[in-house]
């Protein structure tokens, strides 16, 4: 009898346990280095010749994140002390080791272009094309990390404001006030306006106007207390099963999580052919009507925790907005009709022996269109078992956040200013996705070899 061996799973940890030469080759081959090289290399023959090996510098810059080397100074020391490591980074025997200033100039060139973002998108698109990203559920969340910059000292400014006039404004004063407020709102930067202002803004503008300067941020911790930091936020959209980063966004620490969601959603919709995606799951920090509207425009469903905001109780409905009978028993969610975008609720089991049911007072079936209120009515319905199972998959993005911080040095920013810190964030996201793609390619090759071996026997 032939013994068929199941191939073991090959993940990022197994990839990082490989020999350095094989590991570097697998990860770096997933990235189009020529594209990066041409973006930062000298464009003209005029001027002083380029003496540095920029190809080797780029590879060593990537390998610094793979090997978790904390600083450029440590990278240079490793290049000087380890000849084999230097060869693996693409340097020749005759090449001198670049200085810290040379690497600083490399970071400056990367910060002045969007080549790392484009490389990230090409790696993600390759994973989609090769069939490694077939997620039905996508999770979105943000994580914070501190800046290397010092927080500016707070200046106490005495505002010389005239005391407000007491009493109700006249009709002319109120009209002028409303006019001034509307003009003030229109002149605000895009990310200081309300979230609904982003719905009809093109994706390129949404990404270009994200504030990236380090700012103070605040977030409630597990104990419900405010936690402050000075720095940035990483906003990620992650495949729940594949755990690839599908879209990433770098911002100031003060930016509200919800204001980054529409840019992430539009990026997935316009730049990736995610035909299998059906659900977007987010926590209560994203419970804003424009986010539901954007997901609905993408012909997908929202699974977002509800954040009650001083709202009164809905008479005739329970806390999950399911209709209730006269005795306040909740109707049970039955199904969703995608053609008519309608939720179907059936009579509660408590009504089987209720005298009101036999008198025709209790309704057997309720049908509610989700478009009546996209925030309250989702498919599957809030509180249902299907809704809870999808929402549980949101933890995928939290795991990726932990990987980026613990293994890819996301919280080890070594550059000052938001523009240069963004290079660090883009590198982390790119190396993570490239490592995932390399591991999946090796896994697919192992399965193919195992199938060929079994076929021979």
């Amino acid at each position: 009898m032939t013994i068929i061996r199941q191939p073991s799973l090959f993940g990022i940890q197994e990839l990082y346990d490989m020999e350095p030469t094989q590991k570097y080759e697998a990860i770096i081959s997933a990235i189009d280095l020529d594209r990066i090289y041409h973006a930062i290399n000298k464009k003209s023959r005029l001027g002083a010749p380029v003496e540095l090996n920029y190809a080797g510098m780029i590879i060593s810059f990537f390998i610094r994140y793979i090997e978790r080397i904390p600083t450029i100074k440590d990278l240079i020391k490793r290049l000087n002390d380890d000849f084999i490591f230097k060869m693996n980074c693409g340097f020749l025997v005759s090449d001198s080791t670049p200085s810290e200033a040379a690497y600083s100039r490399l970071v400056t060139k990367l910060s002045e272009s969007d080549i790392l973002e484009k490389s990230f998108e090409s790696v993600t698109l390759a994973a989609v094309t090769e069939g490694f990203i077939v997620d039905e559920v996508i999770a979105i969340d943000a994580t914070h990390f501190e800046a290397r910059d010092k927080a500016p000292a707070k200046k106490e400014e005495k505002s010389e404001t005239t005391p407000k006039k007491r009493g109700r404004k006249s009709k002319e004063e109120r009209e002028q006030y409303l006019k001034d407020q509307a003009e003030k709102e229109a002149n605000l930067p895009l990310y200081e306006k309300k979230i609904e202002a982003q719905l009809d803004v093109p994706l390129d503008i949404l990404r270009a106007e994200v504030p990236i300067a380090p700012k103070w941020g605040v977030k409630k911790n597990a104990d419900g207390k405010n936690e402050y930091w000075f720095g940035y936020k990483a906003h990620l959209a992650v495949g729940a099963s594949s755990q690839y980063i599908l879209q990433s966004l770098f911002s100031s620490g003060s930016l509200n999580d919800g204001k980054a969601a529409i840019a992430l959603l539009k990026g997935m919709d316009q730049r990736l052919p995610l035909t299998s995606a059906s659900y977007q799951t987010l926590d209560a920090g994203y419970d804003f009507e424009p986010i539901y509207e954007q997901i609905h425009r993408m012909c997908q469903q929202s699974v977002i925790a509800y954040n009650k905001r001083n709202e009164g109780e809905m008479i005739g409905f329970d806390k999950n907005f399911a209709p209730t009978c006269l005795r306040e028993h909740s109707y049970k969610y039955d199904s969703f009709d995608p053609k008519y975008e309608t939720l179907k609720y059936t009579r509660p089991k408590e009504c089987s022996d209720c005298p009101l049911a036999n008198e025709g007072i209790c309704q057997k079936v309720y049908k509610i269109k989700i478009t009546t209120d996209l925030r309250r009515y989702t498919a599957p319905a809030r509180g249902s078992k299907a809704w809870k199972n999808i929402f549980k998959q949101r933890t995928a993005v939290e795991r990726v956040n932990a990987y980026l911080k613990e293994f890819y040095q996301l919280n080890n920013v070594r550059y000052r200013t938001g523009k240069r810190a963004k290079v660090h964030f883009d590198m982390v996201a790119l190396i993570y996705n490239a490592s995932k793609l390399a591991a999946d390619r090796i896994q697919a090759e192992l399965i193919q070899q195992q199938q060929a071996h079994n076929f021979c026997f």
Side-chain angles (χ1 to χ4, degrees), residues 13-27:
Q13 187 58 53
E14 287 74 19
L15 174 69
Y16 277 57
D17 290 338
M18 292 172 63
E19 291 294 324
T21 305
Q22 297 174 327
K23 174 172 59 178
Y24 302 156
E25 174 64 26
I27 297 173

Side-chain angles (χ1 to χ4, degrees), residues 24 31 45 66 130 153 160 166 182 191 219 222 238 265 361 381 397 406 420 422-423 426 431:
Y24 302 156
I31 304 169
R45 294 181 181 179
I66 297 171
E130 295 176 29
E160 297 179 359
R166 298 182 65 181
Y191 282 90
K219 190 173 184 179
V238 173
L265 291 166
I361 298 176
V397 68
E406 294 178 15
R420 292 168 71 85
K422 185 177 181 299
V423 174
D426 290 338
I431 289 296

Side-chain angles (χ1 to χ4, degrees), residues 164-266:
K164 293 182 179 179
K165 183 181 177 181
R166 298 182 65 181
R168 183 182 295 179
K169 292 183 176 66
S170 65
K171 184 177 180 181
E172 292 77 13
E173 287 177 332
R174 178 163 178 77
E175 288 178 354
Q176 183 62 38
Y177 171 77
L178 294 175
K179 184 179 178 180
D180 293 342
Q181 287 297 107
E183 186 177 351
K184 183 180 178 181
E185 176 75 18
N187 293 330
L188 287 174
L190 178 60
Y191 282 90
E192 291 183 18
K193 296 179 181 179
K194 295 181 180 179
I195 300 178
E196 49 262 32
Q198 301 180 18
L199 282 172
D200 298 320
V201 177
L203 176 61
D204 293 339
I205 297 176
L206 281 176
R207 295 192 68 92
E209 295 194 14
V210 177
I212 60 174
K215 293 287 181 64
W216 279 105
V218 59
K219 190 173 184 179
K220 288 191 180 294
N221 58 21
D223 299 325
K225 296 181 179 179
N226 287 337
E227 182 179 316
Y228 298 90
W229 78 95
F230 183 75
Y232 312 102
K233 276 186 179 181
H235 306 269
L236 304 177
V238 173
S241 58
S242 68
Q243 295 192 20
Y244 275 89
I245 301 174
L246 305 178
Q247 285 288 297
S248 62
L249 197 69
F250 172 86
S251 78
S252 301
S254 60
L255 185 70
N256 182 279
D257 292 357
K259 290 190 175 182
I262 291 181
L264 296 174
L265 291 166
K266 285 189 175 183

Side-chain angles (χ1 to χ4, degrees), residues 361-378:
I361 298 176
C362 252
Q363 194 170 324
K364 289 185 178 180
V365 174
Y366 265 98
K367 291 186 178 181
I368 303 174
K369 291 180 72 68
I370 62 172
T371 49
T372 56
D373 192 331
L374 291 172
R375 183 167 167 249
R376 290 176 172 174
Y377 300 111
T378 64

